Amino acid sequence: MIRIKAGVPHRRRPRTSSRRSRCALTLGLPTVWGAVAISYKFGCPLAEQNGLGARIVTSAVFFAVGTGLILHVRRALLRELRQARKVAGAAQSVLLRPLPPRLAGLNVAAAQLSADRGAAIGGDLYEAVATEHGVRVVMGDVRGHGLAAIGTVAAVLGSFREAAHDEPELGHVLGRLDRALARHLRERARAEHPASGLDPDNPVAEEFVTVLLLEITGDGELRAINCGHPWPYLLSEQRVTPVSRAEPLPPLGPFPLPTDLATTDCGYLRPDDSLVLYTDGAEDARDTKGRFFSLPQALTEAVRDRPVSPQAILRTVFTALLHHTNGRPTDDIALLVLNNGRAQQRTCSGARGGDISGSAARARATTTHPQPTTHG
């Protein structure tokens, strides 16, 4: 303990001195350039002459001083921009963390396309976790953009990551999400009180979140609760169909949840079938003539050649989306693809002389190394 405490200040000194050095350079270089210009103007006899040669020299000196100042400011701004992007990337990896490529026998891929150029995080959210109740997935869309939307995304995702493991019923998971969102909105309402002097872009009274909760059991049965979100598409034998056409519940936020939260049976995710969850920005994307993007048509094109990987589906859909919008989508777009690869897993395990089932199968499926998802 003594060595650890003694070593901490010693490691921090270089960081402190480094910050002081950068601060000195930031303030010192413009001062030096300004001193050079003033010294030349008032101390050099050539600057007092009115001849053509003297004027050329004076203009060259001040041009060099101005160029040096501009370059110095540019380097400082680029340094701050790189630091901001590094912080945004770290925040994105924590908030909208990359999904593992395989989850309890399911092949997984997800991607996000932001409408704001250079934005790392938008108002879309998704997560998939393997639990003792099955693989549970959330896909949602927060109204609006900016820091307020990011705070709402953090509140909903944080609640889901805990409730998905704790709650045996999918309706109880949704109840936890609703309570977490209500707490978050109450805290925002206090922060946005007129006495605070803030002018929020997205008032709390107008805030809502569309949420789709999905549960995939060990035998591929699909159960869902939908609060104002588009239904996923099921890709089976080159057929693209919605998993359900039932009327969804209202989005979270404006209205209280009903007391009886029954799940919707959505059939089965059979071996080699794929499930595509998405936010409404995909189907609301328009071209220059105002025509909407046809997501079912793009998915049909994606599954024309089999077998199809989730990564190939994402590439096909996002390529078609960017072509349709001429590279300028007007809304955030998120896609999450789940492919049932459990048949291949059973085949491989049988060839090795054993079968994997129950908790052993889940343990083996979740020990693969995660790879970063492709964002926008």
Side-chain angles (χ1 to χ4, degrees), residues 20-38 64-77 79:
R20 290 175 179 173
S21 299
R22 288 197 298 267
C23 184
L25 287 175
T26 302
L27 298 177
L29 287 179
T31 304
V32 170
W33 283 111
V36 169
I38 294 174
V65 170
T67 302
L69 287 173
I70 292 173
L71 291 177
H72 172 72
V73 172
R74 181 177 180 272
R75 281 195 296 269
L77 292 176
R79 185 168 57 248

Side-chain angles (χ1 to χ4, degrees), residues 265-287:
D265 294 329
C266 301
Y268 286 83
L269 184 66
R270 305 188 185 280
D272 294 332
D273 288 355
S274 297
L275 196 65
V276 179
L277 290 77
Y278 62 97
T279 55
D280 58 3
E283 291 192 323
D284 292 344
R286 302 193 187 198
D287 61 7

